[in-house]
Amino acid sequence: FFFFNDTATTEIYTQAFVGSVRCVQETGINAEYMGFYSIQKGMISRIGINGFGRIGRLVFRVALETNKAEIMGVNDPFITPDYMAYLLKYDSAHGVFHREVKFAKEFNYVQGTKVKEEPSFLIIDGKKIRVYNEKDPAKIPWGACNAEYIAECSGAFTNLSGCMKHIAGGAKKVLISAPSKDETPMFVMGVNHDKYKADLKVVSNASCTTNCLAPIAKVIQDNYGIVEGLMTTIHATTATQLTVDGPAKGGKDWRAGRAAAANTIPSTTGAAKAVGKVIKELKGKLTGMAFRVPTINVSAVDLTVKLAKPTTYDDICKKMKEASEGKMKGFLGYTNDDVVSQDFNHDPRSSIFDSKAGIMLTPTFVKLVSWYDNEWGYSNRMIDMINHMEKVDKKQQYQPITILTLHTKKKKKKKKK
């Protein structure tokens, strides 16, 4: 009996065992192949992270805290390894990372002279993780550190052509931590992740707001139908905003240049329109806007829709609760408590429907409210989506083995004349 929790190890041993059967047969022993069984409870994805900002660091944390993925390498051209270690360990929104975090630089020496600086490392609980500082994704040697799936968290590469550079560096697949800016498919766990196909090289995890909106929109669409709707996200401050009044980043949205901690700032968002890419039946039926508010984490979605089929608010709540305990469990949550935003800090779910916050005007016109940790919940979905991608991809290649049984019987020797 052999038990492995590492996909690559399983593949290696599978090949070794099959080779052993052949070897045994060649040595004159009659080996009968009796069984080849898969008892696989989960895969450990080998991932690399490009961009060590808010989402990049939290994807790193989620991988280690949930043991759903193994971090093989990190790339960020603007942060040194010692600063990476500091930002990873201390976080104003999510607290201290309770792991031993160190960093190291290694050098090659020839006769006592330093001739080449080797890649640096983050060291987590004694395990070394390669650190690179490349601006061009094609130059990141993902293959050298065995990173197969890349979490593209830099914000700089949000289309197919940009992300394919990771493939040139040895990666197998790329998941973008933002809405794609071209026709690259977008997926939301619990909503349309089952549409992912193994032939896709680059996909998008959509946005944190789309991950909150899509689950409740799907429940409404599936049960009552949506004629049209407007969404507003009351969104926590993000890194694109300024601490004091100044020129907005990019220069186009003047209001975005106002002091984040002193203002509620109207802004744009493509999250509602993006739902139309995730749920095809809603294309052209939803649009929305955002209000940036002076909190550092946790946001809320306000969805106001006109229904095709009349219903009651109690029935909507019932359907939301059923979905949260059924197919969308772990992605959609449900609460009827008197909660506020901080109650959802560090919540791993994508969307938590608040039954007490919504209101209904007529049987076909309703406002729904759902909370989301726009950092931690979204980072969890990054890992979940990568795991799902690997599950689909590996299914196309082989079925990992855990048990191989052989029955051997010696051949009868011929009697000498």
Side-chain angles (χ1 to χ4, degrees):
F1 294 84
F2 301 89
F3 298 93
F4 305 117
N5 63 359
D6 178 84
T7 306
T9 304
T10 301
E11 184 177 18
I12 291 168
Y13 277 87
T14 300
Q15 294 169 353
F17 289 139
V18 173
S20 298
V21 176
R22 296 195 188 101
C23 289
V24 169
Q25 290 172 334
E26 288 171 4
T27 56
I29 297 176
N30 180 22
E32 183 181 355
Y33 175 72
M34 298 293 291
F36 201 56
Y37 306 97
S38 175
I39 307 178
Q40 187 181 4
K41 293 184 178 179
M43 291 184 176
I44 303 296
S45 304
R46 294 183 172 187
I47 73 173
I49 299 173
N50 188 44
F52 213 53
R54 292 301 301 154
I55 299 302
R57 294 197 298 276
L58 293 177
V59 167
F60 191 108
R61 277 198 181 200
V62 170
L64 269 66
E65 289 189 13
T66 62
N67 291 318
K68 289 182 179 179
E70 184 178 5
I71 307 295
M72 310 305 294
V74 175
N75 180 73
D76 196 303
F78 306 109
I79 308 177
T80 58
D82 53 342
Y83 200 12
M84 280 186 179
Y86 171 76
L87 290 171
L88 180 65
K89 188 169 183 65
Y90 300 104
D91 192 285
S92 299
H94 302 280
V96 176
F97 186 40
H98 295 291
R99 298 289 182 95
E100 183 183 58
V101 181
K102 296 181 179 179
F103 67 94
K105 277 182 174 288
E106 293 192 356
F107 302 90
N108 277 343
Y109 289 88
V110 175
Q111 295 180 345
T113 303
K114 184 173 69 175
V115 294
K116 182 183 177 183
E117 182 177 334
E118 288 297 307
S120 305
F121 295 90
L122 280 174
I123 306 172
I124 311 298
D125 292 338
K127 181 184 183 299
K128 287 184 175 181
I129 297 169
R130 294 289 287 270
V131 172
Y132 304 104
N133 299 101
E134 299 289 349
K135 288 185 178 181
D136 183 358
K139 293 182 179 179
I140 308 169
W142 294 123
C145 67
N146 296 316
E148 298 179 332
Y149 291 80
I150 306 307
E152 173 45 64
C153 303
S154 70
F157 305 98
T158 55
N159 57 26
L160 179 63
S161 60
C163 290
M164 283 300 291
K165 294 178 180 179
H166 290 296
I167 308 299
K172 292 182 179 179
K173 298 290 179 76
V174 181
L175 179 64
I176 307 169
S177 70
S180 52
K181 291 186 177 180
D182 56 8
E183 295 306 311
T184 298
M186 285 192 284
F187 296 97
V188 172
M189 289 297 298
V191 178
N192 73 328
H193 67 281
D194 56 339
K195 300 293 193 296
Y196 170 80
K197 303 297 181 185
D199 61 346
L200 294 169
K201 292 288 187 183
V202 179
V203 296
S204 162
N205 200 48
S207 70
C208 56
T209 302
T210 301
N211 271 264
C212 177
L213 174 60
I216 61 173
K218 181 171 175 57
V219 172
I220 298 300
Q221 173 64 21
D222 289 351
N223 288 281
Y224 314 106
I226 293 176
V227 177
E228 56 189 359
L230 294 172
M231 180 220 70
T232 301
T233 173
I234 300 89
H235 203 289
T237 303
T238 65
T240 60
Q241 293 178 254
L242 303 182
T243 53
V244 296
D245 288 1
K249 294 182 179 180
K252 294 181 180 180
D253 184 1
W254 290 5
R255 291 197 243 205
R258 303 297 295 278
N263 295 287
T264 296
I265 303 173
S267 184
T268 59
T269 177
K273 289 183 179 179
V275 170
K277 293 185 177 182
V278 174
I279 306 171
K280 301 300 182 183
E281 299 86 349
L282 295 181
K283 185 176 181 180
K285 293 184 177 182
L286 295 176
T287 190
M289 64 171 295
F291 281 103
R292 295 293 182 90
V293 294
T295 58
I296 64 168
N297 191 38
V298 184
S299 304
V301 155
D302 167 339
L303 175 63
T304 302
V305 291
K306 183 178 180 181
L307 306 176
K309 177 184 174 182
T311 187
T312 64
Y313 188 74
D314 286 343
D315 191 65
I316 290 175
C317 292
K318 179 182 176 182
K319 292 294 191 295
M320 290 290 179
K321 195 170 192 301
E322 288 174 356
S324 72
E325 296 171 349
K327 292 182 178 180
M328 291 187 181
K329 186 175 182 179
F331 310 127
L332 176 64
Y334 182 94
T335 183
N336 57 5
D337 293 334
D338 296 311
V339 290
V340 294
S341 63
Q342 193 60 22
D343 298 325
F344 299 100
N345 193 61
H346 212 69
D347 194 305
R349 295 168 292 183
S350 306
S351 182
I352 304 94
F353 178 76
D354 189 334
S355 64
K356 286 188 175 181
I359 53 174
M360 192 170 220
L361 180 62
T362 71
T364 58
F365 193 58
V366 63
K367 179 187 289 289
L368 308 172
V369 175
S370 197
W371 300 94
Y372 61 113
D373 183 321
N374 46 280
E375 295 184 334
W376 191 250
Y378 185 77
S379 298
N380 271 268
R381 295 299 80 75
M382 286 288 291
I383 296 296
D384 288 342
M385 186 63 203
I386 286 175
N387 283 340
H388 176 70
M389 290 164 66
E390 183 173 33
K391 182 179 179 181
V392 173
D393 296 344
K394 298 300 185 186
K395 190 175 182 180
Q396 301 291 322
Q397 298 173 24
Y398 63 89
Q399 288 295 329
I401 114 178
T402 36
I403 302 176
L404 176 79
T405 61
L406 292 173
H407 173 67
T408 62
K409 185 170 66 175
K410 291 184 178 180
K411 287 183 178 180
K412 292 182 180 179
K413 292 183 179 179
K414 290 182 180 181
K415 292 182 179 179
K416 291 183 179 180
K417 289 183 180 180

